[in-house]
Amino acid sequence: MKEERAETGGWDFSALEVTGRMPLTNRGDGLLELTLEPLGEDYWMRPGETFIVTSYGDYGPGHPFEVQYWPDSVSVWCTSWFGTVSDDEGNQLSCGHQRPDGAYPR
């Protein structure tokens, strides 16, 4: 298993405990938008792809994740200190990963 990066966007979360991992797989026929909240980061999954959402730090009395589904998207709320998205091989992904042109028209 690949070692996870300790920094993302200037945040050093290496001291935070991993408090949850959740795989998400796109079983549909088209792109599926994964939004990581509360920052609204978007990641786009091709059919058959699996992404892993990882939660870091304390999440209080509830659960480390809350999930909301829509026909073409899924939102994952990390209720902990920090969350990341990686591919199925452990490579951390950046916000906007595989975002299609025109996804957010201005």
Side-chain angles (χ1 to χ4, degrees):
M1 181 180 221
K2 293 188 178 187
E3 183 177 319
E4 296 201 35
R5 282 183 55 184
E7 292 184 36
T8 298
W11 291 53
D12 180 4
F13 56 94
S14 60
L16 296 176
E17 175 187 4
V18 171
T19 52
R21 282 194 171 90
M22 180 175 56
L24 296 165
T25 302
N26 180 359
R27 297 288 184 206
D29 295 330
L31 278 176
L32 178 69
E33 180 183 11
L34 165 62
T35 305
L36 183 62
E37 300 290 0
L39 299 178
E41 298 172 344
D42 65 310
Y43 306 83
W44 296 76
M45 303 170 66
R46 294 183 178 127
E49 279 188 313
T50 297
F51 290 171
I52 309 296
V53 179
T54 302
S55 170
Y56 297 87
D58 183 32
Y59 54 85
H63 300 280
F65 306 107
E66 294 178 16
V67 182
Q68 299 170 342
Y69 298 93
W70 289 273
D72 296 323
S73 67
V74 59
S75 293
V76 176
W77 286 81
C78 282
T79 59
S80 61
W81 286 99
F82 195 77
T84 61
V85 176
S86 60
D87 64 18
D88 203 23
E89 297 176 1
N91 301 303
Q92 192 166 317
L93 305 176
S94 297
C95 177
H97 178 75
Q98 302 181 150
R99 181 187 298 145
D101 290 338
Y104 299 114
R106 294 181 186 246

